[in-house]
Amino acid sequence: MADIVLDKVSKSFPDGTVAVQDVDLEIADGEFVILVGPSGCGKSTTLNMIAGLEDISSGELRIGGQRVNDKAPRDRDIAMVFQSYALYPNMTVRENMAFPLRLAKLDKATIDQKVDEAAKVLELTSLLDRKPANLSGGQRQRVAMGRAIVRQPKAFLMDEPLSNLDAKLRVQMRTVVSRLQKKLGTTTVYVTHDQTEAMTLGDRVVIMRGGAIQQVGPPQELYDHPRNLFVAGFIGSPSMNFLHAAVEDGKLRTALGDVPIGDRIRRELEGADAPRELILGIRPEHFEDAELIDDEARARGMEFTAPADIVESMGSDKYVYFTVEGQRASAAELEELAADAGADFSGGGGNLVTRLSAESPVQEGEDRRVWFNLEKIHLFDPSNGRNLTLHEGRSAGTLGD
Amino acid sequence: MADTTTRAKLRWGLIDVIVVVFALVPVLWIASLSFKTPATLTDGKFWPREWTLDNYRSIFDTDQFVRALVNSIGIALIATLIAVVLGAMAAYAISRLDFPGKRLLVGVSLLIAMFPQVSLVSPLFEIERQLGLFDTWPGLILPYITFALPLAIYTLSAFFKQIPWDLEKAAKMDGATQAQAFRRVIAPLAAPGLFTTAILVFIFCWNDFLFAITLTSTERARTVPVALSFFTGESQFEDPTGAICAAAVVITIPIILFVLFFQRRIVSGLTSGAVKG
């Protein structure tokens, strides 16, 4: 049991590339922290530095208050679960799990007892005498977890432990991991590229991009109050809609009509170097079929009409894709997110994803009047991605003052 | 469709038989000669008309052959052991670490492998005479190691590269030192590679004639391939062919045993299950 502190930790390689830059992070004792970001964002390098598998170029890493920069992995007393599981194929499940204990020179009776305990927790008791080759993917994954928990380390490090499992098993193992961590109360750092895993598992989520931390916070806070364009686009599924917005006459000219802005935003936009072009971000669930809106809600938002291209009924609600005219929102962050998703990112002037109530009678191909909530929209500066609607860490839409 | 596969099988089977016959006929011929009496030696028949074990008796009667056999086994085993251990360490470093001069090391070892050995014989002879290594076991073991090492390094680094690196990281996280990770996790997985390399190196040492004949002069270190060439009949008119053939058969036996013994360890798929399927 220990806290982990990263104090301006950086990693640069001999060829000059900087993988991780000045990462400051305090992970409390027993906390479950998720490092998430697109591939190449430095999350795995950060984890490997905590593990001791990669050297730290500069900065300080403290585990349990002790500086461990120069300590070998085996002296840090932390366990790691690898994406590939990395089970020893020449050993049985029992031997695999006993390996760290045998290296720690515990006596045989203690080893057997600890392995049996861990096996019971992970329901591996009947598999103890098998070799990894005779196990299914999910079983191998559990053995890898077993090998980590068996010696009660100060912290667990997990490097995308579920990404090799099929979708159904992944959801199942997610709850196993979550329950196990709560039961053991061991500090855990978990790396993933899957934002759903990040949202569902962690106490706190660390979003990384290009080797730097973008935002740290509880999942809901990241979702509601993203600090910048990247976080806004990364968190959420389906992801936030981004539209081009031009500042004209104290209003925002967008594909959805003229969006009014409140005093605080207006003051920000009055500065000499203030951007004239902005990016408007709206999450899919902040749209609603205008027919289903009561008058009180109607006053808090505005409406537009657009043709519905595709209607996907999810049972609990409907995903409706609209086409809107107008300029495409463009920023470096959006392109990066699009590249990571491997798809065309829904910037403005294209698709709009909305999540409407299941009661909405919307039909594919018809023009539909849609309402959206002005209190929940975000405005981003395209040059640096900063969220302009954020005030004292809270987001209050464009009308806030 | 089925017709073409049967025909393909037949064609391949035929080619296989030709290759095997081509390779084995000389060996069988030697074996056949070794069982013939001096009188029927040159009768040109594949099967001996009169079977005899005299040839085998005669080679073991003389101290010359037994002594050479002991030299051969001793020298080849020691050279193999050292070459495989050193080769494993070098190959491990080459496949796992990035260190300055790595390409140079690989290049130099390749150079050694390609260097014509015959051009080294005279200098080696001089060097060994000066150092007092001439006609001793170390005098042969050292050059054997030198020429076996590139072979060992190349074969072993290919094997090490197949082992997932995550296993080593996992071992380190589990509390192993670098040495423990190698000994308890990597080496057992590289075992098939180690055995394959051991066989290749052993055969190389066992079969060598060039170094053995130039760097030895007496029975102290003379190995079997050389001893064979010194075989004479009981009188100068007697033909030693039968005895040479018998000795040739005898010295192939250790190789066959060695290969059969280690072949059982060369099981494929030893690393399966380590990482995702």
Side-chain angles (χ1 to χ4, degrees), chain A residues 48 51-53 73-74 78-80 82-91 96 99-105 132-133 140 147 151 157 164, chain B residues 163-178 180-181 183-189 269-277:
Chain A
N48 283 338
L53 296 170
R74 66 199 180 91
I78 41 186
M80 186 154 168
F82 292 83
Q83 180 177 9
S84 64
Y85 316 144
L87 302 180
Y88 311 123
N90 52 328
M91 303 182 194
N96 259 287
F99 188 70
L101 302 176
R102 268 169 48 212
L103 288 172
K105 299 218 163 58
R140 285 180 202 178
R147 195 172 59 186
R151 69 192 162 104
L157 307 179
N164 282 333
Chain B
I163 299 176
W165 199 357
D166 270 357
L167 286 182
E168 197 183 321
K169 289 189 192 166
K172 279 196 205 164
M173 292 307 298
D174 282 345
T177 60
Q178 182 86 43
Q180 279 172 323
R183 215 178 60 237
R184 299 176 76 157
V185 175
I186 304 300
L189 296 179
L270 207 62
T271 56
S272 70
V275 296
K276 56 167 172 163

Side-chain angles (χ1 to χ4, degrees), chain B residues 215-232:
Chain B
L215 302 177
T216 62
S217 61
T218 67
E219 288 180 2
R220 263 177 77 197
R222 188 176 285 158
T223 58
V224 175
V226 178
L228 278 187
S229 70
F230 282 95
F231 267 20
T232 53

Side-chain angles (χ1 to χ4, degrees), chain B residues 104-271:
Chain B
L104 189 73
L105 181 73
V106 176
V108 166
S109 75
L110 191 66
L111 195 74
I112 294 171
M114 297 199 300
F115 209 83
Q117 299 176 359
V118 73
S119 62
L120 284 176
V121 160
S122 310
L124 268 179
F125 174 77
E126 283 301 324
I127 292 169
E128 294 213 343
R129 258 184 3 149
Q130 294 288 326
L131 293 175
L133 285 173
F134 181 72
D135 200 24
T136 61
W137 277 25
L140 279 183
I141 290 173
L142 283 175
Y144 285 172
I145 291 174
T146 313
F147 284 97
L149 261 181
L151 177 77
I153 291 173
Y154 269 84
T155 341
L156 283 170
S157 59
F159 271 95
F160 282 134
K161 274 179 193 147
Q162 287 173 4
I163 299 176
W165 199 357
D166 270 357
L167 286 182
E168 197 183 321
K169 289 189 192 166
K172 279 196 205 164
M173 292 307 298
D174 282 345
T177 60
Q178 182 86 43
Q180 279 172 323
F182 179 74
R183 215 178 60 237
R184 299 176 76 157
V185 175
I186 304 300
L189 296 179
L194 290 171
F195 292 129
T196 311
T197 312
I199 290 175
L200 292 173
V201 172
F202 185 83
I203 292 174
F204 164 77
C205 300
W206 187 260
N207 285 347
D208 173 74
F209 181 78
L210 182 67
F211 290 119
I213 196 154
T214 34
L215 302 177
T216 62
S217 61
T218 67
E219 288 180 2
R220 263 177 77 197
R222 188 176 285 158
T223 58
V224 175
V226 178
L228 278 187
S229 70
F230 282 95
F231 267 20
T232 53
E234 310 234 316
S235 68
Q236 74 178 102
F237 303 106
E238 203 181 323
D239 189 359
T241 308
I244 290 177
C245 292
V249 171
V250 169
I251 64 165
T252 49
I253 290 171
I255 294 263
I256 292 171
L257 286 181
F258 200 81
V259 170
L260 286 182
F261 176 69
F262 281 133
Q263 203 180 28
R264 296 175 33 154
R265 321 249 156 159
I266 308 173
V267 273
S268 59
L270 207 62
T271 56

Side-chain angles (χ1 to χ4, degrees), chain A residues 153-174:
Chain A
K154 280 184 192 157
F156 295 137
L157 307 179
M158 304 195 186
D159 191 0
E160 310 206 15
L162 307 184
S163 62
N164 282 333
L165 301 175
D166 60 55
K168 203 175 158 196
L169 204 52
R170 197 178 309 162
V171 175
Q172 209 179 320
M173 280 308 293
R174 211 159 66 196

